[in-house]
Amino acid sequence: MNPIYPDLKNKHVLITGGSNGIGEALTRAFAEQAAEVTILDKDYEKGLTIAQECEKYPCTINVYGVDLTDTKSLSETLNTIKKEKPAVNVIINNAGYDPRYFLLDMTEKEWNDLFQLNVVHYFITCRELLESSIKAGGGSIIMTSSHLVWIAKPNLIAYNATKAAIIGMVRSLAEAVGKYNIRVNAVAPGWIMTERQLNQWVTPEAKQKTMEELQCLPIELTPQELVGTYLFLASDTSKAITRQTIVVDAGYAHS
Ligand SMILES: NC(=O)c1ccc[n+]([C@@H]2O[C@H](COP(=O)([O-])OP(=O)(O)OC[C@H]3O[C@@H](n4cnc5c(N)ncnc54)[C@H](O)[C@@H]3O)[C@@H](O)[C@H]2O)c1
């Protein structure tokens, strides 16, 4: 059971990557709050399935199939949303990818493509929606970073750079838009057992070592362990919190 924040009822929440993994858990949790949720994801079909499953809540879910790395179609989609939907109160920039590369054995294109997804779409979304959030009297922007900024794995150099960029963006943006009553924060998750992580990277040994030796708390982290932090940062309950990065990793990273 998630806590219910009455002020989130009827709020318009936009989530990038809202069809799977962490984003999917967030879509479902904001639907439960009776919010209007707009998903931007290349996995359009899965977004529609979630929308159908959330019909049990008094919410509205809008699904847009878009490749977030295609700046032109992302901007066009955001323009449509601005024209057709209520002003966005909560922006959750979340979609991202974590490819492993041996040292710097990575092409410039691979580097740029990763930044296009993990950083540039976060910037474009804020740029296109900020004006309407200002007109709406304020809001909350939440960006998904990673605890790897502190852990700094050797095969995740580019990924780490993108996630550190997010923390920098959050701090500067919070300075710039605080006067409009817009708060900007990051969540830095630990190793979250999403379907993709389980299929792609997780081994039983690595998972056991993470839980028993690397984390302070010997618990398995799933998207559900993150939901409360995003809801809290979206709601007015955290109205004095901005410019922060909250690490949710069961005590793995040491800053
Ligand atoms: N899972 C973890 O262990 C973990 C840890 C720290 C940070 N993160 C971060 O959390 C965020 C979400 O990760 P996740 O594990 O839930 O990933 P995921 O792969 O489970 O879900 C990502 C979602 O983004 C969508 N997406 C990816 N590329 C896209 C594109 N080009 N255009 C449109 N949609 C696209 C996918 O379709 C999917 O629905 C990412 O920014 C990731 O870096 C994840």
Side-chain angles (χ1 to χ4, degrees), residues 105-233:
D105 185 16
M106 188 177 187
T107 66
E108 195 177 332
K109 183 175 182 318
E110 287 164 337
W111 179 278
N112 288 339
D113 286 350
L114 192 63
F115 270 75
Q116 195 66 28
L117 177 63
N118 287 12
V119 181
V120 177
H121 101 256
Y122 287 38
F123 151 66
I124 300 290
T125 308
C126 290
R127 188 188 67 190
E128 299 299 322
L129 296 179
L130 260 173
E131 202 184 324
S132 59
S133 295
I134 292 169
K135 280 190 191 143
S140 173
I141 299 173
I142 308 168
M143 308 209 198
T144 306
S145 177
S146 170
H147 77 154
L148 287 175
V149 173
W150 289 270
I151 293 168
K153 296 275 188 199
N155 57 350
L156 282 151
I157 297 170
Y159 178 76
N160 195 11
T162 65
K163 292 301 177 182
I166 295 311
I167 294 175
M169 197 192 314
V170 158
R171 291 182 184 173
S172 258
L173 190 57
E175 292 283 344
V177 299
K179 61 184 171 221
Y180 303 114
N181 195 30
I182 296 175
R183 300 182 294 108
V184 190
N185 294 290
V187 176
W191 202 12
I192 309 298
M193 299 297 133
T194 58
E195 204 179 317
R196 184 176 61 78
Q197 289 294 319
L198 289 164
N199 289 335
Q200 221 173 353
W201 308 120
V202 178
T203 62
E205 300 74 32
K207 184 172 159 186
Q208 191 180 1
K209 184 173 178 197
T210 300
M211 285 168 52
E212 292 175 8
E213 294 175 32
L214 301 173
Q215 295 177 178
C216 296
L217 304 169
I219 57 171
E220 177 174 325
L221 294 177
T222 71
Q224 183 55 34
E225 273 66 53
L226 296 172
V227 160
T229 304
Y230 283 85
L231 291 175
F232 169 70
L233 288 174

